[in-house]
Amino acid sequence: MKLLVTGGSGFIGSNFIHMMLHRYPHYEIINLDLLTYAGNEATNECVRNNPRYTFVRGDICNPTIVDELVSKVDAIVHFAAESHVDNSIKNSLSFVMTNVMGTHTLLEAARRHGNKRFHHISTDEVYGHLHHDEDPFHEHTPHRPRSPYSASKASSDHLVMSYFHTHGLPVTISNCSNNYGRFQFPEKLIPLFVTNLLEGKKVPLYGDGLNVRDWIHVDDHNNAVDKILHHGQIGHTYCVGASSEKTNKEITYKILELMNLGEDRIEFVEDRKGHDRRYAINSGKIQSELLWTPQISFDEGITQTVEWYIANAQWWKNIKSGEYKKSNDTYATGV
Ligand code: NAD
Ligand code: TDX
């Protein structure tokens, strides 16, 4: 099997590539990534010399590059996206371009090249948000996005399903909850807080700190993607989560405890605009249909993750200093 992975120099996509090359000794992977500010090809150092791994720096909105790469593979696993909600509040154009137009470009190429298998990585945020007493999101929850980021992801979900209904493209979608783990860009809550604390800084907790997210370790998410890619029902959506709801305050106190630091390091700051109150996922469908279950408890995963950021300081320091852009710039754009 030859896979085209998009966004494989980002957090979840890089972890997926490492896992798949290790798990399937005959698989080949082409990683198409533009290396935006969120991409860091140094993350894929461990597979750089693997003859089954190819990196191409390019834009998923570029039909020429996309067409050529799609023609060479059996399946597409589409992670590439603008992924940070705060950025989408400041300027949402790149979100519409990459998440909507880029997904469309990939779908068109998959259709033109004989209806290639297409797995789309999406998010629970497309379902909007929940009040504390509402049932978790499931596959039939209507899309009610509330941020430009989640609206662009919801649009891409609809485009993917439209290619299934209209063109018979063999698609699947996973809508996953908040991921954490190694190689997450230090703009997201957990890596930002851990690295700020390691730098002696404070951690900015938005609003009252009581917004709830349903946390899943990145390896559990990627195991679910692997199951769906190989065994998922075509034309179906799978909700993926580990039933691990925590307030942002709980996450912060847990990190402080693991790092032996006090609550004086917390700084309550102005709330995020339109801040979704709570996400929660019912993953009953993938559990019963594909026999997937999360393997990593939150306590175990967060402990390992904090240890990873302590042990791999050079990785995130290069990002925070901007140094990583120099090694990214050694990759020219093109096929
Ligand atoms: P990330 O921001 O860490 O990585 C995104 C990658 O996509 C980067 O390497 C970036 O360079 C690349 N990219 C961006 N625009 C591109 C373009 N136009 N062409 C080619 N490459 C481009 O994101 P992530 O956290 O790894 O998320 C991956 C996917 O998973 C996204 O689709 C996101 O919506 C989804 N998701 C993320 C989470 C989470 O908690 N992080 C949860 C559920 C779903
Ligand atoms: O500095 C911060 N302070 C803070 O209180 C940051 C960066 C975040 N927060 C809060 C906002 C959220 O309630 O923490 C929570 C998590 O924030 P993010 O890490 O930005 O994630 P979120 O907005 O929940 O979205 C994430 O999960 C779903 C990913 O970024 C998305 O790509 C994914 O689809």
Side-chain angles (χ1 to χ4, degrees):
M1 178 109 122
K2 201 161 180 175
L3 298 178
L4 174 62
V5 171
T6 70
S9 313
F11 164 47
I12 308 176
S14 61
N15 278 291
F16 180 75
I17 290 172
H18 306 165
M19 183 189 90
M20 295 298 276
L21 287 173
H22 182 255
R23 184 171 291 171
Y24 299 101
H26 302 298
Y27 279 27
E28 291 175 37
I29 293 181
I30 302 174
N31 169 20
L32 172 62
D33 196 300
L34 186 58
L35 300 181
T36 66
Y37 82 92
N40 181 7
E41 196 34 27
T43 298
N44 290 321
E45 191 63 53
C46 59
V47 293
R48 176 138 324 130
N49 296 323
N50 187 325
R52 296 182 290 116
Y53 174 70
T54 306
F55 174 69
V56 176
R57 184 175 193 176
D59 193 333
I60 59 165
C61 299
N62 181 327
T64 312
I65 295 177
V66 166
D67 215 64
E68 177 164 352
L69 296 180
V70 167
S71 75
K72 294 179 177 166
V73 299
D74 306 301
I76 298 129
V77 185
H78 176 33
F79 291 90
E82 285 292 337
S83 70
H84 195 40
V85 174
D86 290 328
N87 291 345
S88 82
I89 295 166
K90 290 180 204 125
N91 186 350
S92 48
L93 181 60
S94 61
F95 287 74
V96 176
M97 292 309 294
T98 290
N99 302 359
V100 184
M101 299 301 288
T103 302
H104 180 259
T105 307
L106 288 160
L107 288 166
E108 263 301 290
R111 179 185 71 76
R112 274 198 303 276
H113 290 284
N115 271 357
K116 295 273 165 85
R117 177 80 176 85
F118 194 102
H119 180 70
H120 178 58
I121 308 294
S122 192
T123 169
D124 60 358
E125 300 195 17
V126 298
Y127 300 120
H129 71 162
L130 298 164
H131 299 291
H132 73 277
D133 54 352
E134 285 182 283
D135 287 340
F137 303 130
H138 53 80
E139 287 78 5
H140 298 293
T141 305
H143 281 38
R144 288 198 188 97
R146 301 177 71 256
S147 75
Y149 162 70
S150 52
S152 67
K153 292 296 291 187
S155 304
S156 65
D157 287 12
H158 290 313
L159 276 171
V160 171
M161 274 308 164
S162 79
Y163 271 65
F164 166 67
H165 291 295
T166 307
H167 299 297
L169 197 74
V171 308
T172 43
I173 299 180
S174 46
N175 292 90
C176 189
S177 60
N178 282 61
N179 284 221
Y180 69 97
R182 65 187 96 80
F183 298 123
Q184 187 168 31
F185 199 85
E187 64 186 349
K188 307 284 172 24
L189 179 77
I190 290 177
L192 178 73
F193 279 23
V194 174
T195 59
N196 270 13
L197 292 170
L198 288 170
E199 290 176 311
K201 295 181 188 160
K202 292 200 174 203
V203 295
L205 202 45
Y206 296 163
D208 60 8
L210 297 179
N211 299 65
V212 173
R213 298 292 182 264
D214 191 349
W215 293 93
I216 182 171
H217 191 275
V218 64
D219 291 345
D220 278 328
H221 179 192
N222 281 330
N223 279 326
V225 174
D226 181 8
K227 286 251 183 194
I228 300 166
L229 179 66
H230 291 99
H231 308 291
Q233 289 191 69
I234 298 305
H236 278 233
T237 288
Y238 293 88
C239 282
V240 180
S243 299
S244 184
E245 289 185 52
K246 311 266 177 233
T247 65
N248 295 332
K249 234 179 172 176
E250 286 176 284
I251 298 286
T252 307
Y253 277 97
K254 182 70 194 173
I255 293 172
L256 288 169
E257 178 200 315
L258 287 168
M259 297 179 71
N260 261 324
L261 294 166
E263 60 185 352
D264 56 306
R265 302 294 284 275
I266 300 175
E267 185 179 16
F268 283 92
V269 298
E270 192 186 333
D271 209 356
R272 174 184 278 176
K273 281 189 193 167
H275 197 172
D276 286 344
R277 194 60 173 167
R278 172 177 165 240
Y279 307 137
I281 275 276
N282 175 342
S283 57
K285 177 177 171 179
I286 187 171
Q287 299 218 20
S288 60
E289 258 187 34
L290 303 183
L291 306 179
W292 170 87
T293 44
Q295 303 293 313
I296 304 168
S297 71
F298 184 75
D299 264 7
E300 184 192 346
I302 190 71
T303 306
Q304 279 176 14
T305 300
V306 169
E307 284 168 1
W308 188 89
Y309 282 91
I310 292 170
N312 292 276
Q314 207 51 54
W315 182 85
W316 57 263
K317 282 186 177 170
N318 280 348
I319 294 178
K320 283 195 154 181
S321 69
E323 192 65 23
Y324 74 118
K325 290 187 177 145
K326 287 187 191 155
S327 64
N328 274 349
D329 283 346
T330 61
Y331 297 94
T333 310
V335 179

